[in-house]
């Protein structure tokens, strides 16, 4: 649907949905997007309980409804056109996750770009917030290596040293969003070398046009224009780890999680050594028994 239709229907939907939920928002759109396939809404805090999805569908004049655990899909009439519909995706989240979900889903592919910047420094942003990865655990279990830091958007922007006002508004152009992504303190061109990308980033190169454009065109151009001496001072993963543990007061949790992990690994190693010892003993016993039987037979 065209941008004008999208904005009109989105704004109307937000008013309608707000009658059913305490908070409702739509993530900020990606720049230069002129055509939209659906409308995404994020909501939380039902105003009545038990909640009636049927009542919401009726209020939206939905012709079809499909429900999943966290997202409800509605097909609503396209304005002034018969037999055409608009898909509306209503994502229901917990109240404590609402601000972060809206923040993290805004600006289309922006967090794909930022994610590649912060990853080398042991940081990960997902739909729950910003996390620190423990290097020793990450080598074996990436999910268990994560220590939750915060889900406060302003705090994350402060950490990345990104302009909050610019983030709160739509970018006028794709180039504006690219420049904004490069202004984060963790940006290093080497994180976007095409042949060195991680598997998930290689998939994004195929599936996400903006990400591919950023890697193939924008970053190389920016490297050419920005001399080495103008770049940010060196920052290491260990330095970022220490800063984050102090900033978010997570040192105790970090150390406890690492201690538990090491104890578990030692227990597994002990069990493995015990199994190997029993296996060697069984083989030795078998060899001894075979030799004994052979000696008896030779004696006969």
């Amino acid at each position: 649907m065209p941008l004008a239709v999208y904005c009109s229907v989105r704004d109307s939907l937000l008013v309608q949905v707000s009658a059913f939920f305490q908070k409702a928002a739509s993530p900020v759109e990606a720049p230069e997007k002129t055509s939209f396939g659906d409308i995404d809404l994020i909501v939380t805090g039902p105003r009545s309980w038990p909640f009636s999805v049927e009542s919401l569908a009726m209020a939206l004049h939905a012709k079809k409804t499909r429900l999943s655990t966290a997202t409800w899909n509605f097909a609503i009439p396209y304005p002034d056109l018969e037999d055409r519909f608009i898909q509306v995706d209503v994502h229901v989240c917990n109240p404590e996750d609402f601000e972060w979900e809206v923040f993290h889903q805004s600006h289309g592919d922006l967090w794909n770009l930022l994610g590649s910047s912060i990853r080398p420094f042991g940081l990960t942003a997902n739909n729950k917030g910003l996390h620190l990865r423990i290097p020793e655990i990450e080598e074996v279990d990436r999910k268990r290596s994560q220590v939750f830091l915060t889900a406060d958007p302003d705090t994350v922007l402060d950490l990345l040293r990104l302009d909050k006002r610019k983030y709160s508004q739509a970018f006028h152009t794709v180039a504006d969003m690219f420049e904004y992504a490069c202004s984060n303190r963790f940006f290093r061109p080497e994180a976007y070398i095409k042949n060195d990308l991680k598997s998930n980033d290689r998939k994004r190169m195929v599936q996400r046009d903006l990400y591919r454009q950023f890697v193939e065109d924008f970053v190389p151009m920016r490297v050419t224009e920005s001399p080495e001496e103008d770049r940010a001072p060196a920052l290491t993963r260990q330095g970022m780890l220490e800063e984050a543990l102090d900033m978010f007061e997570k040192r105790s949790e970090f150390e406890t999680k690492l201690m538990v992990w090491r104890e578990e690994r030692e227990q597994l190693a002990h069990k493995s050594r015990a199994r190997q010892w029993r296996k060697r003993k069984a083989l030795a016993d078998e060899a001894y028994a075979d030799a004994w039987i052979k000696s008896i037979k030779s004696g006969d």
Side-chain angles (χ1 to χ4, degrees), residues 1-2 4-10 12-13 39 60 76-88:
M1 80 194 88
V5 175
Y6 169 84
C7 291
S8 175
V9 176
R10 177 203 60 197
S12 176
L13 287 169
I39 298 176
L60 300 181
I76 66 172
Y78 196 102
D80 303 322
L81 289 177
E82 293 185 5
D83 301 323
R84 286 193 63 185
F85 301 92
I86 296 172
Q87 179 173 320
V88 180

Side-chain angles (χ1 to χ4, degrees), residues 14-27:
L14 285 172
V15 173
Q16 292 173 297
V17 169
S18 293
F20 292 85
F21 293 92
Q22 296 175 20
K23 291 183 178 181
S26 182

Side-chain angles (χ1 to χ4, degrees), residues 176-275:
D176 288 342
M177 186 177 78
F178 285 173
E179 282 290 351
Y180 184 80
C182 292
S183 71
N184 89 83
R185 66 182 290 205
F186 301 103
F187 174 75
R188 301 292 184 276
E190 54 268 27
Y192 301 92
I193 297 175
K194 186 175 179 180
N195 293 335
D196 296 338
L197 292 176
K198 300 292 184 181
S199 59
N200 285 342
D201 289 336
R202 290 197 298 272
K203 290 179 183 177
R204 292 187 184 100
M205 288 285 290
V206 176
Q207 300 170 356
R208 312 297 298 184
D209 290 340
L210 281 183
Y211 190 87
R212 182 172 62 253
Q213 184 181 343
F214 184 75
V215 172
E216 292 185 343
D217 301 328
F218 193 84
V219 172
M221 177 190 68
R222 200 172 190 281
V223 170
T224 301
E225 295 177 351
S226 301
E228 188 74 30
E229 59 270 18
D230 288 343
R231 295 180 194 164
L235 177 67
T236 65
R237 177 168 181 174
Q238 182 62 33
M240 186 62 245
L241 185 148
E242 297 295 333
E243 178 182 336
L245 293 180
D246 290 338
M247 177 178 178
F248 297 100
E249 299 180 349
K250 292 288 183 174
R251 190 170 297 277
S252 177
E253 180 181 343
F254 173 91
E255 292 174 350
T256 299
K257 193 166 190 175
L258 184 56
M259 180 183 67
V260 170
W261 170 262
R262 288 173 173 172
E263 289 176 351
E264 290 179 1
R265 300 303 293 178
E266 179 55 35
Q267 291 173 4
L268 289 173
H270 177 74
K271 291 178 180 179
S272 177
R273 289 192 296 268
R275 284 195 299 270

Side-chain angles (χ1 to χ4, degrees), residues 269-282:
H270 177 74
K271 291 178 180 179
S272 177
R273 289 192 296 268
R275 284 195 299 270
Q276 292 296 324
W277 180 84
R278 289 193 295 270
K279 184 177 181 180
R280 289 194 300 270
K281 185 176 185 302

Side-chain angles (χ1 to χ4, degrees), residues 17-248:
V17 169
S18 293
F20 292 85
F21 293 92
Q22 296 175 20
K23 291 183 178 181
S26 182
V28 180
E29 293 77 23
E32 296 188 47
K33 193 172 183 180
T34 58
S35 180
F36 298 81
D38 56 21
I39 298 176
D40 295 317
L41 304 179
I42 300 174
V43 300
T44 191
R47 293 188 182 277
S48 62
W49 195 261
F51 185 82
S52 172
V53 180
E54 292 78 10
S55 297
L56 176 61
M58 289 179 60
L60 300 181
H61 304 289
K63 300 304 180 182
K64 290 185 179 180
T65 302
R66 183 174 59 192
L67 307 179
S68 63
T69 303
T71 302
W72 305 334
N73 310 114
F74 302 98
I76 66 172
Y78 196 102
D80 303 322
L81 289 177
E82 293 185 5
D83 301 323
R84 286 193 63 185
F85 301 92
I86 296 172
Q87 179 173 320
V88 180
D89 298 332
V90 178
H91 176 66
V92 185
C93 66
N94 296 323
E96 61 270 20
D97 297 329
F98 178 79
E99 300 296 337
W100 176 263
E101 291 257 16
V102 176
F103 169 79
H104 190 242
Q105 292 185 32
S106 289
H107 305 295
D109 285 311
L110 177 58
W111 269 102
N112 284 332
L113 308 181
L114 295 175
S116 296
S117 280
I118 67 176
R119 188 185 304 117
F121 297 93
L123 298 174
T124 294
N126 58 26
N127 64 332
K128 291 298 182 181
L130 185 69
H131 303 257
L132 177 73
R133 303 189 310 276
I134 303 176
E136 184 176 324
I137 303 178
E138 182 183 6
E139 295 175 0
V140 180
D141 192 329
R142 183 181 177 86
K143 187 174 182 180
R144 283 192 63 186
S145 74
Q146 295 182 3
V147 175
F148 175 78
L149 297 178
T150 183
D152 180 71
D154 285 349
T155 302
V156 171
L157 292 178
D158 284 340
L159 180 66
L160 272 64
R161 296 179 187 167
L162 288 172
D163 189 291
K164 298 172 188 174
R165 182 187 59 80
K166 290 182 179 180
Y167 196 100
S168 67
Q169 304 170 359
F171 294 103
H172 294 296
T173 66
V174 170
D176 288 342
M177 186 177 78
F178 285 173
E179 282 290 351
Y180 184 80
C182 292
S183 71
N184 89 83
R185 66 182 290 205
F186 301 103
F187 174 75
R188 301 292 184 276
E190 54 268 27
Y192 301 92
I193 297 175
K194 186 175 179 180
N195 293 335
D196 296 338
L197 292 176
K198 300 292 184 181
S199 59
N200 285 342
D201 289 336
R202 290 197 298 272
K203 290 179 183 177
R204 292 187 184 100
M205 288 285 290
V206 176
Q207 300 170 356
R208 312 297 298 184
D209 290 340
L210 281 183
Y211 190 87
R212 182 172 62 253
Q213 184 181 343
F214 184 75
V215 172
E216 292 185 343
D217 301 328
F218 193 84
V219 172
M221 177 190 68
R222 200 172 190 281
V223 170
T224 301
E225 295 177 351
S226 301
E228 188 74 30
E229 59 270 18
D230 288 343
R231 295 180 194 164
L235 177 67
T236 65
R237 177 168 181 174
Q238 182 62 33
M240 186 62 245
L241 185 148
E242 297 295 333
E243 178 182 336
L245 293 180
D246 290 338
M247 177 178 178
F248 297 100

